Amino acid sequence: MLPNLIYIEKLYSAFQDDPDSVDPSWRSFFRGMELGESFSKTDTADPILLLIDNYRLNGHRLAKFNPFVSEESCGELNLENFGLSEGHLTQNYPTHGLLAAEEASLSDILKRLNELYAGKIGYENIRGLESLIENEQKSLTPDEQKRVLHELNRAELFEAFLHMKYTGQKRFSLEGGETLIPILAEMLNLGADLGLEEAIIGMAHRGRLNVLTNIMGKSYAAVFAEFLPDYVPQEGDGSGDVKYHKGFNASYKTPSGKELKLLLAANPSHLEAVDPVVEGLVFAKQLDKAKTAVLPILIHGDASVAGQGVVYETMQLSKIDGYATGGTVHIVVNNQIGFTAVPKESRSTRYCTNVAAGFDAPVFHVSAEDPDSCIRAVKLALKIRQEKGLDVFIDLNCYRKYGHNEGDEPSYTQPLLYADIKAREKIRVLYRNQLIQSGVITEKEANGMEANFKSGLEKELASIKELKIGQEFKCSVPEDKPYPETGVSKDLLVQFGQTICQSPDGTHPKLKRILDERLKMLEGAPLDWGMAEMLAYASLLKEGVPVRLSGQDSIRGTFSHRHSAITHQKTEERLFLLNQLGGANFQAYNSPLSEYAVLCFEFGYSLVCQNALTIWEAQFGDFANGAQIAIDQFIATSEQKWRETSPLVLMLPHGYEGQGPEHSSARIERFLQLAANNNMLICNNTTPAQIFHLLRAHLKLQERRPLIIFMPKALLRYPPSLSHIDDLTKGSYQKVIDSAPCSARKLLFCSGKVYYDLTLEIEKRNISDIAIIRIEQLYPFPKNEIKALLANYKDVKQVFWVQEEHQNMGAWTHIHFEMENLGGISYIGRPRSASPAAGFPTLHKRELEALLNEALS
């Protein structure tokens, strides 16, 4: 036990010096330990200090921010817990800086504590931020309040106008939560004064049309047009998406005259899917700017922020090198309902924002019916983000005026809640009356503001016919043309190789042997896949193309084949020799054990860095299904839906080697099913030279497309698959490789590792009349090249497709369809199966023998 105690003592010492220096779980443990220790010493500790600390910790439970929840009690704040009672109310005690006076009565101290921590804002996770909160300016100026009313007018009257003009149509109204608009406006206005130059917003459908018009500046007429039954695409539309999914770029001008760039990221209906995309966009924008210059703003729903695991995955990126964006401001539009599910059905926690606690992210609970408190919370949140680099949550307690959409009937399932909602006055009217009563504005001025805005909406409605109509989206036809020349001179390759294959002091002995072997590859020894990949990166970097590689264990590579960094064996310092070439920057990161959020992050990053080679690598290709939402909703469809192009590369290890159903298949069939309209490139290569040329060619292509590469595992060092350095000095990527005699009677098409299974067996059996053609690029299908090759095989009577995957998997369905007009093709391979691969090595071997016998009989 002694070593463990020494370790804990060291951690606690580090915590006392700097709480952020230890893991969040230890931070929480030590804080709880200190709090418990303070309670055990109540007889000697200062009871007022304990009382103050406990209000800071638990005061939110008494705060009045939820209009639908009656007052709670909080036994932890009873005076008796601190050795105090009502008899002490008139006694004086040290205030510990809580009040201006050094001493005050317990009654005055309690009054101050209740104002601060049990008033209109509930504070959570604020350790270290107390002085900011306790010294905050509590009231808004009259000018600020007028601006808030102006934004509330625009938010609520816009929704009312849509409801009147387009009754019953879906718009996912913001009514009941319209305070979101003044919150966003204040965030941008204040942000510009705090060094902000750009903000990127991610949000789902609720209130999106309001944000598009009243924050982003999209014309009201453009939104009105999308409600028309005969709507035709406007300039910039893709094949289309519903109006409350679309993204928008804008320039935002603040009252002080400063301009901010704004982006509302396009998103699918998968709630919270856009969160890591936004973080990737922001990280890329921050490459040449300070973190404080670009702000990610994520707008959540209460049910989704509590229920969607991608929120936690995204939060986990917040402090990791290579992904951290310097803090995100999260706004939860807390409708207190998720479609028809109430909070007790949606979560196990007190608040929907409890995910924040695991990351020490402050949470400010506010009521949408109290706009002044909401603006105060925004000011604090933004100040904390800009100064401390923390994520901050604003929990906007509000309601949803209608059902999940405007055609839904919410009282089927929540009759009491909706009876309450129907009886409530509009937030805009409540605030308007408050300002009139306090003399900030006259009733005449208020009426004038409303009339002017309504008049403007009518003019916008009348101007729909003037909108510029674009052309409908035309699906592009894949061009079947050769790849560009991508060879690199041998002298340069040797120069690159000698730089990246050094063995500096501290190199692991086994790694030194690997690097020495790579040096021999420069002299003509067989060149493996890892070396080809590294030389491709080196050549691109030297040409000025930045490279970013991210994934689980990607720095070394799952199969110990890459070694993009050398780790010093005594200091554990990493050295990236690729960055000693004097070219563009090489970044490689071992990602968290997440597929969904990390792939979305890299997608967002690639949207900004169009001229960088951005790669996400799965640990095994099988695990890409953990990111299926990212693949389906962003990578495969974003161009056609939103005209967003991404050059992101996915590297997915694939191959049947008897390792079972979880380590064999990257699900080639799924990607081919998603392939259409030239939306991506899908390749399954058989030589290191092919991967070298493909990576180099990717950004030389005119059009930016995602590239899906099924990477090998067993082939990484397999001698028959290796290349020669001369193969990298000339030529280009080959979509199809013909490596057989033209006098064949039987022609086999295949892709990937099974080629080597076939050739090995052909050599064993001394077969000379079977030809094999490898299809390296599965999509777009190289029809012209295959047609030309088929013309060379005039004596062939039988044409087969051979694959190692089961018949209902792999490329078979795709190949069968594409080859129909080229004379047809028959299938050889494993039979249909529910599981992707056999779990027993003996069964795997038996299946392989069977398909080889059928193929070569």
Side-chain angles (χ1 to χ4, degrees):
M1 287 295 291
L2 186 59
N4 287 338
L5 289 173
I6 293 171
Y7 173 69
I8 292 170
E9 284 176 356
K10 285 182 178 178
L11 278 178
Y12 183 53
S13 176
F15 167 80
Q16 289 176 310
D17 292 338
D18 177 13
D20 288 335
S21 68
V22 302
D23 185 87
S25 60
W26 280 109
R27 199 152 59 235
S28 300
F29 172 77
F30 291 136
R31 283 173 178 164
M33 183 185 76
E34 288 178 344
L35 182 61
E37 187 178 37
S38 67
F39 273 115
S40 68
K41 298 178 180 177
T42 301
D43 55 332
T44 56
D46 186 331
I48 300 302
L49 192 55
L50 291 176
L51 179 67
I52 292 171
D53 280 345
N54 273 272
Y55 259 89
R56 290 166 173 166
L57 184 66
N58 294 307
H60 60 89
R61 291 171 57 184
L62 296 177
K64 303 157 189 69
F65 53 78
N66 192 333
F68 296 96
V69 174
S70 55
E71 277 192 31
E72 283 194 49
S73 60
C74 182
E76 287 85 345
L77 296 178
N78 291 342
L79 291 177
E80 291 77 12
N81 292 332
F82 310 98
L84 299 167
S85 66
E86 290 191 6
H88 297 95
L89 289 174
T90 57
Q91 285 185 224
N92 281 2
Y93 293 90
T95 64
H96 299 286
L98 191 71
L99 296 167
E102 289 187 9
E103 287 192 351
S105 68
L106 177 58
S107 177
D108 287 344
I109 291 172
L110 280 171
K111 181 182 178 184
R112 177 64 173 155
L113 285 171
N114 279 296
E115 287 173 352
L116 281 171
Y117 295 109
K120 295 181 176 181
I121 302 178
Y123 299 98
E124 280 191 285
N125 312 326
I126 56 166
R127 182 77 65 176
L129 305 172
E130 298 89 346
S131 61
L132 276 175
I133 292 165
E134 290 162 13
N135 297 312
E136 174 224 353
Q137 177 67 40
K138 292 293 181 289
S139 57
L140 272 60
T141 66
D143 283 344
E144 287 177 317
Q145 290 181 313
K146 287 178 183 178
R147 279 205 302 270
V148 170
L149 179 60
H150 173 67
E151 300 298 345
L152 285 174
N153 273 336
R154 298 204 304 159
E156 194 263 314
L157 294 174
F158 170 70
E159 296 287 1
F161 190 85
L162 290 177
H163 194 69
M164 176 180 65
K165 300 292 184 181
Y166 309 106
T167 305
Q169 288 204 46
K170 281 185 186 179
R171 69 178 193 276
F172 296 100
S173 163
L174 187 58
E175 288 163 282
E178 51 265 55
T179 313
L180 174 67
I181 299 303
I183 283 175
L184 287 172
E186 178 61 26
M187 194 172 297
L188 299 174
N189 296 339
L190 177 61
D193 295 333
L194 295 177
L196 195 63
E197 298 172 14
E198 195 165 354
I200 300 178
I201 303 171
M203 68 181 298
H205 44 274
R206 175 80 49 210
R208 191 179 183 92
L209 298 183
N210 217 309
V211 171
L212 275 167
T213 51
N214 290 320
I215 296 297
M216 304 299 298
K218 183 173 183 176
S219 78
Y220 297 105
V223 172
F224 296 156
E226 293 180 66
F227 282 91
L228 301 177
D230 57 348
Y231 172 76
V232 293
Q234 295 176 45
E235 199 158 12
D237 283 348
S239 69
D241 199 349
V242 290
K243 49 189 167 287
Y244 35 80
H245 286 172
K246 293 181 179 180
F248 200 76
N249 281 285
S251 179
Y252 179 91
K253 195 163 187 177
T254 71
S256 62
K258 295 177 180 174
E259 285 198 15
L260 296 176
K261 290 181 182 177
L262 291 187
L263 168 63
L264 178 62
N267 70 285
S269 272
H270 291 70
L271 304 176
E272 310 294 347
V274 77
D275 298 359
V277 176
V278 167
E279 300 297 337
L281 285 161
V282 170
F283 187 88
K285 297 266 189 180
Q286 292 172 340
L287 288 176
D288 57 357
K289 293 182 179 179
K291 298 287 187 190
T292 51
V294 189
L295 173 68
I297 303 170
L298 295 180
I299 302 172
H300 311 275
D302 52 308
S304 62
V305 76
Q308 295 285 298
V310 72
V311 177
Y312 179 88
E313 290 187 34
T314 305
M315 289 290 293
Q316 197 63 263
L317 301 175
S318 63
K319 296 180 182 177
I320 297 177
D321 185 35
Y323 307 91
T325 55
T328 299
V329 176
H330 303 258
I331 305 168
V332 181
V333 179
N334 188 346
N335 297 309
Q336 335 239 3
I337 193 169
F339 209 140
T340 65
V342 294
K344 67 180 180 181
E345 297 171 303
S346 299
R347 63 179 188 261
S348 300
T349 54
R350 174 185 293 275
Y351 301 120
C352 61
T353 52
N354 275 39
V355 67
F359 302 91
D360 290 331
V363 181
F364 304 143
H365 303 279
V366 292
S367 169
E369 292 185 341
D370 181 10
D372 284 7
S373 293
C374 294
I375 300 304
R376 286 171 48 206
V378 169
K379 291 180 177 182
L380 274 171
L382 199 57
K383 190 177 177 69
I384 289 166
R385 189 272 175 180
Q386 294 295 83
E387 292 182 4
K388 307 284 186 182
L390 298 175
D391 279 49
V392 188
F393 282 73
I394 296 173
D395 176 23
L396 181 64
N397 289 260
C398 55
Y399 57 90
R400 188 187 67 193
K401 184 174 180 179
Y402 304 105
H404 177 66
N405 60 63
E406 287 64 35
D408 190 40
E409 179 48 74
S411 60
Y412 287 149
T413 49
Q414 280 80 35
L416 300 181
L417 174 63
Y418 271 84
D420 190 345
I421 288 172
K422 285 178 181 177
R424 303 190 84 81
E425 184 59 274
K426 297 171 183 174
I427 294 172
R428 176 185 66 83
V429 174
L430 289 173
Y431 195 66
R432 171 186 185 273
N433 293 344
Q434 175 190 324
L435 297 194
I436 291 171
Q437 190 174 354
S438 61
V440 171
I441 195 170
T442 66
E443 187 170 358
K444 183 179 179 181
E445 288 174 309
N447 291 337
M449 289 170 67
E450 295 166 22
N452 287 340
F453 184 69
K454 288 177 181 177
S455 173
L457 291 178
E458 291 289 355
K459 289 177 183 176
E460 287 281 326
L461 183 62
S463 71
I464 289 178
K465 58 182 178 292
E466 299 170 15
L467 287 176
K468 187 174 182 180
I469 304 302
Q471 295 181 345
E472 290 193 40
F473 183 81
K474 301 294 183 185
C475 296
S476 60
V477 178
E479 288 190 50
D480 195 0
K481 60 184 181 182
Y483 276 77
E485 290 284 323
T486 45
V488 177
S489 76
K490 188 170 182 178
D491 288 345
L492 277 177
L493 291 173
V494 170
Q495 180 186 326
F496 299 153
Q498 288 174 343
T499 299
I500 64 177
C501 296
Q502 300 174 57
S503 299
D505 290 342
T507 303
H508 192 287
K510 288 184 180 178
L511 178 54
K512 184 180 185 308
R513 285 200 295 274
I514 292 171
L515 295 172
D516 288 345
E517 288 171 6
R518 287 184 175 179
L519 288 171
K520 292 176 184 176
M521 295 174 195
L522 301 173
E523 300 169 358
L527 188 141
D528 66 20
W529 292 74
M531 183 59 164
E533 184 187 331
M534 292 291 283
L535 287 173
Y537 297 152
S539 62
L540 288 168
L541 293 167
K542 200 64 180 172
E543 291 172 7
V545 177
V547 177
R548 176 185 167 92
L549 170 66
S550 165
Q552 295 158 22
D553 314 297
S554 288
I555 293 177
R556 190 201 74 176
T558 301
F559 311 102
S560 202
H561 67 289
R562 179 174 295 118
H563 296 289
S564 66
I566 295 174
T567 302
H568 195 286
Q569 293 301 294
K570 291 184 178 179
T571 65
E572 292 196 352
E573 184 180 350
R574 281 180 182 151
L575 175 63
F576 291 92
L577 291 171
L578 282 164
N579 283 328
Q580 295 190 357
L581 291 167
N585 189 37
F586 175 78
Q587 306 171 67
Y589 300 102
N590 290 333
S591 75
L593 204 64
S594 154
E595 289 82 31
Y596 186 0
V598 174
L599 181 51
C600 282
F601 182 100
E602 301 306 334
F603 173 79
Y605 181 95
S606 72
L607 291 177
V608 175
C609 298
Q610 291 275 314
N611 295 315
L613 185 66
T614 306
I615 303 168
W616 176 75
E617 180 182 53
Q619 190 181 63
F620 283 82
D622 316 58
F623 303 159
N625 61 9
Q628 198 65 48
I629 291 172
I631 294 164
D632 292 348
Q633 308 304 324
F634 293 107
I635 289 167
T637 55
S638 64
E639 182 184 11
Q640 193 170 335
K641 289 189 299 187
W642 309 316
R643 290 198 176 177
E644 288 184 347
T645 56
S646 163
L648 181 61
V649 178
L650 274 64
M651 285 185 171
L652 309 176
H654 174 90
Y656 282 55
E657 294 123 5
Q659 293 192 45
E662 304 300 327
H663 297 85
S664 299
S665 176
R667 295 289 191 175
I668 291 174
E669 67 278 2
R670 290 182 179 169
F671 288 92
L672 290 172
Q673 187 182 42
L674 292 168
N677 311 132
N678 202 19
N679 65 332
M680 59 177 113
L681 300 165
I682 302 175
C683 300
N684 190 17
N685 307 304
T686 52
T687 71
Q690 280 284 83
I691 197 69
F692 174 86
H693 288 295
L694 180 59
L695 290 174
R696 283 188 44 74
H698 185 48
L699 294 177
K700 296 181 186 296
L701 300 176
Q702 188 174 357
E703 296 176 323
R704 294 290 182 258
R705 296 285 185 274
L707 168 61
I708 316 301
I709 309 177
F710 298 103
M711 297 292 288
K713 295 174 290 177
L715 297 186
L716 289 170
R717 303 171 188 84
Y718 182 56
S721 80
L722 304 187
S723 298
H724 189 278
I725 190 168
D726 290 345
D727 299 328
L728 313 187
T729 63
K730 58 185 180 298
S732 59
Y733 181 73
Q734 301 301 300
K735 301 176 190 177
V736 182
I737 300 177
D738 181 13
S739 55
C742 293
S743 58
R745 62 174 176 80
K746 188 175 186 179
L747 180 58
L748 305 180
F749 282 90
C750 67
S751 185
K753 184 184 73 69
V754 73
Y755 167 75
Y756 293 102
D757 295 324
L758 289 166
T759 53
L760 180 63
E761 198 65 21
I762 284 173
E763 289 175 13
K764 283 182 182 178
R765 301 185 188 192
N766 196 26
I767 297 172
S768 60
D769 58 353
I770 295 179
I772 303 176
I773 295 177
R774 288 170 273 173
I775 301 180
E776 303 277 293
Q777 179 179 288
L778 293 167
Y779 185 85
F781 190 70
K783 188 168 289 187
N784 291 340
E785 293 186 27
I786 290 173
K787 187 177 180 179
L789 285 174
L790 285 171
N792 296 330
Y793 291 94
K794 300 189 184 299
D795 297 328
V796 164
K797 304 299 182 186
Q798 297 171 301
V799 179
F800 294 93
W801 170 257
V802 184
Q803 66 177 35
E804 58 184 352
E805 301 85 7
H806 290 277
Q807 188 172 9
N808 55 323
M809 301 171 194
W812 164 240
T813 303
H814 170 73
I815 296 294
H816 186 223
F817 173 79
E818 294 288 356
M819 292 289 288
E820 272 186 332
N821 295 327
L822 296 177
I825 194 166
S826 299
Y827 173 79
I828 294 174
R830 288 177 166 88
R832 297 174 68 85
S833 172
S835 176
F840 302 107
T842 50
L843 179 56
H844 164 79
K845 185 178 179 182
R846 195 159 64 239
E847 290 176 344
L848 179 61
E849 288 173 354
L851 77 86
L852 291 174
N853 284 332
E854 185 181 1
L856 305 179
S857 62

